[in-house]
Amino acid sequence: MDSPFACLTLPARLDSMQAFRDFVHVGAESAGLAAPETDWLDLVLEEILVNIARYAYQPGTGDAEVRYAVEQPGQLRVEISDAGRVFNPLASDPPALGGPLAERPIGGLGVFLVKNLVGSLTYRREQDRNTLSFTFPAPKDGG
Amino acid sequence: MNIEPTELEKAVVLKVVGRMDAENADEFHQACDRWIAQGTRHLIADLDGLQYVSSMGLRAFLAVAQKLQSLSGSLILCGLHGLPRQVFEMTRLLSLFQLYDDVPQALAAL
């Protein structure tokens, strides 16, 4: 049985973040999720939406769309999309996490965090849109 | 997010309370830069009240720590716990910082 997606489209800007957060929290609540899981969900949303706001439409502007559906109790399916340039964040190399402080690169940690916090993360490009789809929270490893 | 500075003899303590995210991480970065520009070489970030940090916050911590290290100074973290601590752990940043439970311990180590 397919769950219908709830959907919100707003300008891809940092000042849309709070509205996107509030929107997804409604879904999280109906899935039975609470803090601290909702804080981790905020982090996932922020990392993806910041990338869209900073890079997808540069130097122009555009929208971001966030959709969610409660897949089962305790689990959300979330999809975040934009109509900006073709970009698959999952194809980027993982950041260098070793080495001394002076050599630690400052970027690349956002996508890394997302990959660690969600399940079934996929990217697709269809109808001129980039879409990241994932389940939240990530499935627990056995034990 | 609220940042409350306290100037001490050996260091400046920045008490950070709330959520550090893409919208305000720059405020922390700029506050640190102002103290560094005034000659401060040891900054102690009191993070007991920090509830949330995203990668934009991590960038700020890293950039400030790297700058202070290049000036023979340090950014010391205190009271890191909960989600922020787990984010530092996940990104393997914890080992790059001097960490203390609280400010008195950090001051004693300077």
Side-chain angles (χ1 to χ4, degrees):
Chain A
M1 190 175 71
D2 282 347
S3 320
F5 274 96
C7 178
L8 179 66
T9 303
L10 289 172
R13 297 194 308 247
L14 290 187
D15 59 9
S16 298
M17 206 70 76
Q18 184 65 50
F20 279 127
R21 225 168 9 229
D22 292 346
F23 170 70
V24 174
H25 276 205
V26 174
E29 201 172 308
S30 42
L33 298 171
E37 275 165 329
T38 43
D39 293 328
W40 289 106
L41 181 57
D42 288 351
L43 183 63
V44 169
L45 277 185
E46 180 185 325
E47 301 300 351
I48 296 172
L49 288 168
V50 164
N51 271 344
I52 295 174
R54 286 163 62 112
Y55 305 116
Y57 298 101
Q58 211 180 25
T61 56
D63 289 343
E65 181 192 87
V66 175
R67 292 147 44 90
Y68 71 78
V70 178
E71 278 206 331
Q72 52 180 288
Q75 189 176 72
L76 277 184
R77 161 73 54 183
V78 182
E79 299 199 337
I80 301 177
S81 73
D82 65 80
R85 70 192 61 182
V86 179
F87 177 63
N88 177 3
L90 309 185
S92 52
D93 291 333
L97 296 179
L101 176 62
E103 291 166 21
R104 247 332 258 279
I106 279 178
L109 296 175
V111 174
F112 175 80
L113 283 167
V114 171
K115 285 179 177 172
N116 278 277
L117 293 170
V118 305
S120 313
L121 179 61
T122 60
Y123 165 84
R124 63 178 190 269
R125 176 83 184 178
E126 59 185 23
Q127 296 174 332
D128 296 328
R129 297 187 72 85
N130 301 301
T131 300
L132 281 177
S133 179
F134 57 87
T135 58
F136 182 89
K140 298 257 189 295
D141 298 332
Chain B
M1 180 182 68
N2 185 48
I3 303 171
E4 187 188 309
T6 306
E7 197 171 2
L8 301 172
E9 195 185 334
K10 287 194 278 186
V12 170
V13 178
L14 296 171
K15 186 176 172 62
V16 184
V17 175
R19 296 165 67 95
M20 191 186 294
D21 59 19
E23 287 173 90
N24 63 22
D26 236 24
E27 288 173 31
F28 173 76
H29 197 163
Q30 286 169 12
C32 293
D33 275 351
R34 280 195 297 274
W35 285 107
I36 295 168
Q38 288 172 34
T40 300
R41 290 298 173 263
H42 296 287
L43 284 171
I44 299 176
D46 178 358
L47 305 179
D48 192 44
L50 183 69
Q51 296 152 1
Y52 172 98
V53 67
S54 66
S55 69
M56 295 302 285
L58 297 180
R59 291 167 81 106
F61 282 109
L62 254 180
V64 170
Q66 288 176 344
K67 185 168 192 172
L68 280 168
Q69 190 183 53
S70 73
L71 298 168
S72 305
S74 61
L75 172 62
I76 299 170
L77 309 184
C78 288
L80 192 61
H81 68 275
L83 180 146
R85 187 180 181 98
Q86 285 177 266
V87 170
F88 271 81
E89 273 171 6
M90 242 179 237
T91 51
R92 292 197 221 153
L93 286 172
L94 266 191
S95 60
L96 301 184
F97 288 87
Q98 294 179 59
L99 295 171
Y100 295 95
D101 289 344
D102 53 34
V103 173
Q105 281 187 27
L107 284 170
L110 273 178

